[in-house]
Amino acid sequence: MSLRNRMGAVAGIAVALTVIGVAVTVYVAVRSELYGQVDATLNDRARPFAAPGAPGPRDRAGDESRAAAGGGAPPAGRFAGRDPGGGLGEAAAASRAPFGGPSGHLQFVSATGRVTAPPDEGTTFPASARAREIAKRGSGRNLTDTHVKGVHLRVLTIGTGSQGAVQVARPLTEEDHVLRNLLIVLLIVGVAGIVVAAGLGVLVARTALAPIARFTRRTEKLTGNPDLSLRLEVEGRDELARLARSFNATLDALESSVAAQRHLVADASHELRTPIASLRANIQTLEQADRLSPDERASLRADIVEELDELTALVGDVVELARDVRSSPVLDDVRLDEIAAAQVERARRRAGDLAFDVHLEPTLVSGQPDRINRAVSNVLDNARKWSPPDGRVDVDLRDGTLSVRDRGPGFEAEDLPHVFDRFYRAGNARRMPGSGLGLAIVRQAAESHGGFVRAQNAPGGGALVTVNFGPPLPPPEAPPETEPASGAATAKPA
């Protein structure tokens, strides 16, 4: 099932549950209202008989004589249905609705369970076990529904003391008819509402998912014809617009990555072309080695070795730059001060008379030792290469940041933004050995560890390169010193 159909189905189900809930609520409310009116009518008619000392059916004559003598009116509803002449006409009796119709039906239940009714009430209906129990006890109240001769009755039973109980019944024919019609209407409206809601849900889902359909078509087009310059149209500020902007940002990053890879390959091929061409020429010259003097042959061999070293270094740099930062996810605790000290000693051996002023704080970082070691070596080699004879290089490690300053010519203003770019070489550096990848490797190593690099001209002359490999870690706790055992001899320094 498609997403659009699922959304339509969910909307239809939600509306269906709502419609069913509303229909049930309306039906229950109307039924409660109708039954409440019926119960109020039953209570009104039974109230006079439920009073203490209320007369039973045998005292009707006394009631009539007391009413005639001004002793009080007979109980309300006691003589419902009488004609003005005091008797119920035969025509009225024949046309009377079952169990009194809306006016209701009155009957008495004696303590022995005998059921009687006034002459004008017509036939009686059997008393239930609950009604006979109330009549026997003379107190209590019960309201129930029952069916007698196919008629649905609402019956109220109230105890009348020693006289037993009185029962007032009213047919629910009209109420059932109203509820039946209401149920039909609710069913029709509910089914129609569910159908309409399902249709509207599908329509709304189709409209809401139209931008996603456009995204899908665009991505499929990109898959078939990988043109990274294509972008999605962004309209509005809703979630779909955010999705489009995120997708466009992904395409931007992908395009930048592909362009960087292409530039790396193009620049690498350009840089490799020169040493390979030089090696080719030197090797062709060696084919005529018998015509060369010993000094020329020695110079030629030294030149070949130098070109091979340069080619090897260039290939290593290219491989390092092309290396995936995530290819070595295992990190270790690295003593940055120890790596810097070892690389300074290496630079001293290769620098001759070059002096190094070193200040290193103990620093622990989390990273990859080989990448950090390569980056520190490149920074020091860059300072060594640009330092004048008998110059000085300052190496300072504070707060997890390594700073290396030389006393060379420094950076030109137009070169500063490109110092860490791949294969970038300043104008005055093109006559010197190197490929322009050393500082690019430094930047990649620093950023892969969550750090940064910065290049600037130092006050007083020279270049200053600052490298950070992420926040330093807290130093490990020193193991507690153990006190010598009692009586043991303590060694003293000589």
Side-chain angles (χ1 to χ4, degrees):
M1 181 182 292
S2 64
L3 178 60
R4 182 173 58 192
N5 292 336
R6 287 201 300 269
M7 291 181 63
V10 170
I13 292 174
V15 173
L17 294 177
T18 304
V19 169
I20 292 173
V22 171
V24 171
T25 302
V26 170
Y27 183 85
V28 171
V30 172
R31 184 180 183 276
S32 178
E33 179 66 21
L34 293 176
Y35 277 32
Q37 295 176 3
V38 172
D39 295 344
T41 301
L42 296 178
N43 280 310
D44 290 342
R45 190 167 186 189
R47 187 177 296 112
F49 301 97
R58 292 173 295 180
D59 297 329
R60 287 191 58 192
D63 288 340
E64 292 176 4
S65 61
R66 285 194 297 271
R78 188 86 169 266
F79 305 104
R82 275 189 188 276
D83 59 14
L88 183 64
E90 294 181 0
S95 61
R96 184 178 180 86
F99 300 101
S103 62
H105 174 80
L106 180 68
Q107 68 179 23
F108 300 94
V109 182
S110 66
T112 60
R114 182 169 175 268
V115 178
T116 59
D120 55 353
E121 295 295 337
T123 183
T124 61
F125 58 88
S128 63
R130 177 63 176 163
R132 290 193 297 270
E133 180 182 350
I134 292 175
K136 182 178 180 180
R137 192 169 59 244
S139 62
R141 176 188 179 89
N142 182 48
L143 187 63
T144 185
D145 291 355
T146 186
H147 287 79
V148 179
K149 299 180 180 179
V151 179
H152 187 195
L153 297 177
R154 183 79 164 169
V155 180
L156 173 64
T157 303
I158 299 178
T160 58
S162 61
Q163 304 299 324
V166 61
Q167 284 190 305
V168 183
R170 185 182 185 281
L172 297 177
T173 305
E174 295 180 358
E175 287 73 13
D176 290 345
H177 180 72
V178 172
L179 293 176
R180 190 180 304 109
N181 291 338
L182 176 63
L183 183 60
I184 294 174
V185 171
L186 291 177
L187 287 175
I188 294 174
V189 172
V191 172
I194 292 172
V195 173
V196 172
L200 291 177
V202 173
L203 180 61
V204 170
R206 179 180 301 175
T207 304
L209 295 177
I212 297 180
R214 292 198 302 270
F215 296 167
T216 304
R217 289 194 295 269
R218 182 61 60 87
T219 53
E220 290 174 348
K221 184 177 180 180
L222 284 173
T223 303
N225 182 20
D227 184 3
L228 298 180
S229 63
L230 296 177
R231 295 294 183 272
L232 299 177
E233 298 84 1
V234 180
E235 299 177 359
R237 296 183 179 180
D238 55 4
E239 289 77 4
L240 294 177
R242 290 179 56 192
L243 176 62
R245 283 192 290 268
S246 300
F247 190 81
N248 288 340
T250 303
L251 290 178
D252 292 339
L254 180 60
E255 185 177 14
S256 300
S257 177
V258 172
Q261 290 180 0
R262 290 173 178 172
H263 291 160
L264 176 62
V265 172
D267 293 339
S269 62
H270 176 74
E271 293 293 332
L272 288 170
R273 190 177 295 117
T274 300
I276 291 177
S278 179
L279 283 172
R280 181 188 180 94
N282 290 333
I283 293 174
Q284 288 177 347
T285 304
L286 280 178
E287 294 179 354
Q288 303 175 1
D290 53 345
R291 300 181 181 180
L292 300 177
S293 64
D295 293 338
E296 289 176 336
R297 286 196 298 269
S299 175
L300 186 61
R301 285 194 295 269
D303 191 28
I304 291 176
V305 172
E306 182 180 353
E307 292 291 343
L308 286 174
D309 291 340
E310 182 179 351
L311 182 61
T312 302
L314 177 59
V315 171
D317 291 342
V318 171
V319 171
E320 178 68 21
L321 285 174
R323 181 178 171 186
D324 189 357
V325 176
R326 299 164 298 178
S327 60
S328 301
V330 179
L331 303 180
D332 197 3
D333 292 343
V334 180
R335 285 291 300 270
L336 183 57
D337 57 308
E338 295 180 357
I339 288 180
Q343 291 300 325
V344 167
E345 291 300 322
R346 171 180 171 274
R348 277 199 181 105
R349 291 193 300 269
R350 302 178 62 183
D353 297 333
L354 189 62
F356 288 85
D357 188 8
V358 182
H359 299 279
L360 304 176
E361 290 183 350
T363 303
L364 184 67
V365 296
S366 178
Q368 303 171 32
D370 56 338
R371 295 175 71 91
I372 295 177
N373 195 74
R374 179 73 178 273
V376 174
S377 174
N378 287 357
V379 174
L380 292 175
D381 285 344
N382 183 76
R384 179 179 57 82
K385 182 171 65 174
W386 290 100
S387 294
D390 299 328
R392 188 176 83 250
V393 175
D394 298 335
V395 182
D396 189 23
L397 177 59
R398 300 178 187 274
D399 300 327
T401 301
L402 178 67
S403 300
V404 179
R405 177 192 175 184
D406 59 49
R407 298 299 192 281
F411 298 106
E412 297 293 336
E414 62 272 13
D415 295 331
L416 273 175
H418 309 287
V419 169
F420 297 101
D421 291 349
R422 296 172 178 176
F423 296 103
Y424 182 81
R425 304 185 70 185
N428 56 356
R430 292 172 185 171
R431 66 180 183 273
M432 302 178 66
S435 60
L437 295 178
L439 293 182
I441 292 174
V442 174
R443 180 176 65 178
Q444 178 171 291
E447 293 178 351
S448 67
H449 288 82
F452 61 88
V453 290
R454 186 167 53 243
Q456 58 188 5
N457 289 317
L464 176 62
V465 178
T466 304
V467 187
N468 180 276
F469 296 99
L473 302 176
E477 296 182 358
E481 297 182 358
T482 57
E483 297 182 357
S486 176
T490 304
K492 294 182 179 181

